[in-house]
Amino acid sequence: MAEIAIKGVAKQFGDFTALHSVDLTIADQEFMVLLGASGCGKTTLLRIIAGLETPSQGEVWIGDRRVDHLPPRERGIAMVFQNYAVFPHLTVFENIAFGLRMAKLPQAEVTRRVTRTAELMHIEQLLKRYSGELSGGQRQRVAVARALAMEPDVILMDEPLSNLDALLRLEMRAELKGVLAESKTTTIYVTHDQVEAMSLADRISVMNGGYIVQADRPTQVYRNPAARFVGSFIGNPPMNFLPAKGAGDGRWHVAGQVFDGPKVAAAEFAIRPEDLHPSEHGLDAEVRVVEPLGPHTLVTAEVAGQPFRAVLESDRAISPGDVIPLAPIPDRIRWFDPDTHKAIQ
Ligand code: ATP
């Protein structure tokens, strides 16, 4: 059982707070992605779980053991990093066997585990090669095989695909997902790539400025952002936001249109670019740029002087300078508190 519980974990570097009292529970065998922009604290949190960094405050639990005072090797964790530290002067076999030899496992067990994980990662034909001769993608597979060979309860990965080219990334992404599901480990995976996060995660923890803003399933994070930041960070292009005026009766005036919304004093209107369609009545969008993307067309416009984007079916002729009414799909409209920036349910 490798449930991970992070309880009130904070980290200060001098005067700078990299993490503010983070609470997060990751279920046994769950694939959790930490997602956020550069500097939001993802790596710091991962390094605290790994034992490479001590928290200024709080506790880390793996299963029923409190581990934040234990050295990394006693935590039952394996790690795969961006620069994957594969030793070029060792064969692939010895690279994968490295941790097993350190743990003084018998030779037969070393061979069994190296062979099994090499097969899993489709590198069994490379076992005798020196790692210095391998391509980036092959080396990445060796790094993952080495982590899996430890049969850890927990695997931590920090941007493991970021050194690969786009095509290889896509291929490795699908492969990792399959392999990690099969290996039944609990995985924490750090990335700033939202597509990678959406495609891999059971749950995504969206981080901003040392806080976890939302931890939820990818569809929830996408459809029901808990905060304005999540809507503006996830989605390409991100959510559109418009000011709204209401009298507290649940009727909201947004760019000359009226919508039903929450019965509160102040709210901001939000809609995803793909949740709009051209209609007789809608938000008047003054088109600035039209980008055909194949199946869809990305329209960059202004609504009531605010930047606004729509992803529309590509069969419509739209040109810069056109004013097109865009109707939001009613049940896709979201509302945020203009002061706290939290979603209004
Ligand atoms: P990236 O995607 O760029 O790796 P990240 O979200 O992983 O970013 P962290 O590496 O966790 O971010 O860093 C969080 C903040 O803490 C950053 O502002 C960083 O400059 C700061 N920080 C990290 N390590 C140290 C350190 N050893 N000393 C001082 N500040 C640090």
Side-chain angles (χ1 to χ4, degrees):
M1 216 349 233
E3 177 187 281
I4 303 170
I6 294 152
K7 301 181 182 177
V9 164
K11 180 69 186 178
Q12 256 100 30
F13 293 109
D15 289 343
F16 178 74
T17 304
L19 287 176
H20 301 263
S21 191
V22 166
D23 290 295
L24 185 66
T25 304
I26 299 137
D28 183 36
Q29 297 182 32
E30 188 174 28
F31 197 127
M32 172 65 86
V33 171
L34 306 180
L35 174 70
S38 184
C40 70
K42 315 179 286 292
T43 299
T44 302
L45 184 55
L46 198 75
R47 287 171 59 83
I48 287 173
I49 299 166
L52 302 173
E53 199 81 72
T54 17
S56 311
Q57 231 175 281
E59 301 174 5
V60 179
W61 291 72
I62 298 179
D64 53 11
R65 288 196 311 156
R66 183 172 170 186
V67 300
D68 47 276
H69 299 300
L70 299 180
R73 65 176 182 284
E74 287 173 30
R75 296 189 183 198
I77 281 175
M79 285 172 269
V80 181
F81 290 110
Q82 199 174 91
N83 46 9
Y84 29 86
V86 167
F87 307 118
H89 58 288
L90 293 182
T91 60
V92 168
F93 187 103
E94 286 306 324
N95 261 290
I96 300 174
F98 191 78
L100 309 176
R101 297 222 190 275
M102 299 279 281
K104 301 203 166 28
L105 260 65
Q107 180 61 38
E109 180 63 7
V110 172
T111 306
R112 185 189 73 78
R113 290 207 201 176
V114 171
T115 313
R116 198 186 74 86
T117 49
E119 278 169 11
L120 209 58
M121 295 309 298
H122 306 300
I123 48 172
E124 64 272 32
Q125 75 290 2
L126 299 177
L127 285 172
K128 291 192 181 125
R129 297 266 292 274
Y130 282 90
S131 300
E133 304 165 13
L134 304 180
S135 71
Q138 291 169 330
R139 252 180 297 179
Q140 183 56 26
R141 282 163 208 266
V142 174
V144 175
R146 183 168 60 192
L148 291 172
M150 299 299 289
E151 297 185 356
D153 296 328
V154 177
I155 289 196
L156 306 180
M157 300 195 171
D158 194 353
E159 308 251 9
L161 306 184
S162 64
N163 286 343
L164 306 180
D165 66 46
L167 205 62
L168 205 53
R169 254 181 110 110
L170 213 67
E171 196 183 301
M172 280 293 296
R173 189 171 85 196
E175 218 154 287
L176 264 186
K177 187 169 179 162
V179 166
L180 289 168
E182 203 173 310
S183 69
K184 299 197 185 333
T185 49
T186 307
T187 305
I188 308 182
Y189 186 106
V190 162
T191 184
H192 62 270
D193 180 334
Q194 50 166 301
V195 179
E196 207 164 284
M198 297 287 285
S199 83
L200 286 170
D202 291 321
R203 278 192 305 153
I204 300 176
S205 293
V206 183
M207 296 186 67
N208 184 29
Y211 291 95
I212 292 182
V213 188
Q214 183 170 13
D216 214 331
R217 287 176 290 119
T219 43
Q220 278 296 103
V221 166
Y222 190 78
R223 282 277 157 241
N224 295 313
R228 191 186 200 277
F229 171 78
V230 179
S232 66
F233 185 71
I234 294 194
N236 186 18
M239 240 175 179
N240 294 301
F241 299 94
L242 291 172
K245 279 210 176 78
D249 59 356
R251 305 280 289 158
W252 292 93
H253 292 263
V254 179
Q257 296 290 306
V258 179
F259 298 95
D260 287 333
K263 290 183 178 156
V264 295
E268 190 180 23
F269 169 98
I271 188 81
R272 288 216 173 267
E274 65 275 22
D275 295 334
L276 293 154
H277 55 87
S279 166
E280 261 176 58
H281 301 288
L283 302 159
D284 279 338
E286 294 173 35
V287 176
R288 298 276 181 260
V289 181
V290 179
E291 296 169 77
L293 302 175
H296 303 288
T297 298
L298 171 59
V299 175
T300 301
E302 267 183 31
V303 169
Q306 305 284 325
F308 198 86
R309 277 175 289 204
V311 175
L312 305 176
E313 303 260 313
S314 51
D315 52 5
R316 253 182 83 96
I318 301 166
S319 308
D322 289 354
V323 176
I324 47 171
L326 295 174
I329 300 172
D331 66 1
R332 293 283 165 84
I333 297 171
R334 297 290 175 266
W335 302 90
F336 292 94
D337 185 308
D339 296 322
T340 64
H341 302 307
K342 292 200 172 139
I344 303 169
Q345 300 307 329

